[in-house]
Amino acid sequence: MRTVYSVGFLVLVSLAARAQSPLYGQCGGVGWSGATTCVTGAVCSALNDYYSQCIPGTAAPPSSTASTSGSSSPSSTPSTPTSTAAPVPVPSGKLQFTGVNMAGFDFGCNSDGICTVSAAWPPLTQYYGADGAGQMKHFVEDDGFNTFRLPVGWQFLVKDVLGGPIDEANFAIYDDLVQTCLSTGAYCIIDVHNYARWNGKVKLFSPIIIGQGGPTDAEFASLWSGIASKYADNPRILFGVMNEPHDVPDIERWAQSVQAAVTAIREAGATTQLILLPGNNWTSAATFISNGSAAALSKVTNPDGSITGLIFDVHKYLDYDNSGTNAECVTDNIADAWAPLAEYLRANKRQAINTETGGGNVASCVQYMCQQVAFQEANSDVFLGFTGWSAGNFYPTYVLGEVPTDTGSGWTDTLLVESCLKRK
């Protein structure tokens, strides 16, 4: 499958070299060998050294100092393309949400939905964890991040009682991390890290999913009603419905379970915060359309029938098997994931956020991650941002570690954060 993709990509590049790049197509950047001019009504805009894209606008008149490299600055008076189609939104080039995951409360959670409550390790020094407070303060003040995703196991929040109420003692510990996040002025994503399961049960060799032989929609809704009621009045909280559902037998039925969570959140009083909707196949950006997740989740609405604040939640790693377990990166994900998804989102007036992405602290990941981030910036009308994986309680040897080092006189970022992810 990877070989077929590579051949197809070379063909596309060859064709692009003999034509103009389309609206929102790539037109320059390190290693780019395709077209460097854009179709009528678009101008090639350089996001950074790694990526230039055709955006709506008109090129400046030629002059003796004008660049012909295909990476000129956007016009100061952009206009929509000459077309009979509806006006196309112009990306701002600035992502709304940028930051990192703060791991620890998800420790002990496996992809089969088993979460060992005693294994949760708060990334806060008062609980003998990492200095999560110092990390977040550094990320905000020194790196320009404004968002932290805070994964936690369902079992921890209800103290292992499926369908039970929020356990106030455990929730108070988790809330310490949430309040530490909020104290930095950042946005904080509540992420239930259970893979659409509870304790790994199977039935006739098939996974038991929420609403599909596993926990009921009512039990899932009860969890989210309890969480949302705690933060209903805080506009800086985002609700991540579920981390990485996978091997979901019926995506339409999964959308009904997501609907139950959305309704519970809104009816708990959290009427304006963003809610992040995850799809099948580890909510992969590359298969979000093809596996039916986009179409099914498009049917999820607020109680009033609107879709305001309902954002698709997607993930994408850059290693060869998209597992996020290998140090080297092999793709920027643009051709097979982000470009098709951007087209779909724009056509259907939806938006997405990339809440898990990452790579090793090596040169290949710097190259491809910088390209991926630049593409998302170039399409910021449909991509709201990213949170890298991961900081918090990971040790320095963790392959995808983004934990900064406290030198005593300040913090030093990992190579990937310093090169591609930080905003300052």
Side-chain angles (χ1 to χ4, degrees):
M1 188 67 177
R2 295 283 177 179
T3 302
V4 172
Y5 162 73
S6 297
V7 172
F9 181 74
L10 289 174
V11 171
L12 289 173
V13 168
S14 176
L15 290 173
R18 298 195 299 270
Q20 292 180 311
S21 287
L23 183 65
Y24 296 114
Q26 187 172 359
C27 55
V30 174
W32 175 248
S33 58
T36 56
T37 59
C38 302
V39 295
T40 302
V43 61
C44 190
S45 174
L47 266 294
N48 60 23
D49 291 342
Y50 294 94
Y51 196 82
S52 297
Q53 184 178 39
C54 294
I55 64 171
T58 55
S63 69
S64 59
T65 58
S67 170
T68 59
S69 65
S71 58
S72 59
S73 299
S75 167
S76 60
T77 56
S79 62
T80 55
T82 303
S83 170
T84 57
V88 179
V90 180
S92 68
K94 180 177 175 61
L95 298 171
Q96 294 183 44
F97 304 102
T98 57
V100 65
N101 284 259
M102 298 297 294
F105 276 102
D106 57 313
F107 285 10
C109 287
N110 301 322
S111 60
D112 58 4
I114 292 175
C115 285
T116 304
V117 172
S118 61
W121 187 16
L124 295 168
T125 55
Q126 63 263 43
Y127 299 109
Y128 307 101
D131 184 10
Q135 289 181 28
M136 288 189 279
K137 185 174 185 289
H138 155 69
F139 282 133
V140 170
E141 295 182 357
D142 301 330
D143 292 343
F145 284 162
N146 68 354
T147 307
F148 298 103
R149 185 170 179 251
L150 312 176
V152 63
W154 183 349
Q155 289 88 335
F156 183 85
L157 295 175
V158 297
K159 205 170 184 178
D160 260 339
V161 179
L162 178 61
I166 296 292
D167 181 82
E168 294 300 331
N170 278 7
F171 187 83
I173 299 173
Y174 178 68
D175 186 58
D176 281 343
L177 182 63
V178 177
Q179 296 304 322
T180 301
C181 171
L182 291 170
S183 71
T184 67
Y187 293 95
C188 310
I189 303 173
I190 310 298
D191 162 49
V192 177
H193 216 76
N194 277 71
Y195 306 89
R197 294 154 166 79
W198 174 279
N199 284 345
K201 295 179 181 178
V202 296
K203 182 179 181 180
L204 297 178
F205 305 104
S206 297
I208 293 185
I209 306 299
I210 297 169
Q212 301 181 53
T216 66
D217 288 352
E219 290 167 335
F220 189 40
S222 174
L223 168 72
W224 273 111
S225 179
I227 295 173
S229 66
K230 304 288 187 179
Y231 302 114
D233 297 327
N234 197 313
R236 303 192 78 81
I237 295 291
L238 289 74
F239 300 109
V241 167
M242 178 57 61
N243 177 69
E244 294 190 343
H246 62 90
D247 299 292
V248 174
D250 187 340
I251 190 61
E252 294 287 344
R253 183 63 186 82
W254 169 243
Q256 294 177 32
S257 299
V258 173
Q259 178 67 72
V262 169
T263 300
I265 291 169
R266 296 306 192 209
E267 291 183 347
T271 58
T272 60
Q273 293 95 330
L274 299 187
I275 303 177
L276 313 185
L277 315 181
N280 205 354
N281 191 30
W282 316 88
T283 201
S284 170
T287 59
F288 203 79
I289 302 168
S290 62
N291 67 25
S293 295
L297 293 172
S298 291
K299 300 172 185 176
V300 176
T301 67
N302 295 309
D304 64 3
S306 72
I307 59 171
T308 304
L310 304 184
I311 308 300
F312 293 151
D313 188 359
V314 295
H315 292 176
K316 202 73 176 76
Y317 288 96
L318 295 85
D319 50 357
Y320 79 95
D321 60 357
N322 191 43
S323 65
T325 60
N326 304 283
E328 294 291 339
C329 296
V330 300
T331 176
D332 57 19
N333 294 311
I334 293 172
D336 64 337
W338 299 119
L341 184 56
E343 182 179 357
Y344 177 92
L345 295 170
R346 200 168 280 122
N348 290 275
K349 297 181 173 58
R350 301 303 297 250
Q351 294 175 311
I353 183 170
N354 181 13
T355 58
E356 269 192 39
T357 190
N361 290 291
V362 295
S364 65
C365 293
V366 169
Q367 175 187 345
Y368 290 122
M369 180 62 79
C370 284
Q371 291 171 346
Q372 175 177 281
V373 171
F375 181 85
Q376 292 174 342
E377 289 175 327
N379 294 273
S380 58
D381 57 318
V382 291
F383 295 126
L384 298 186
F386 65 81
T387 51
W389 187 271
S390 176
N393 265 346
F394 281 113
Y395 292 124
T397 55
Y398 175 53
V399 66
L400 263 60
E402 295 179 5
V403 178
T405 302
D406 185 359
T407 63
S409 59
W411 294 84
T412 300
D413 283 315
T414 62
L415 176 65
L416 198 63
V417 171
E418 178 66 30
S419 302
C420 301
L421 302 180
K422 66 184 293 184
R423 301 291 87 194
K424 287 187 177 179

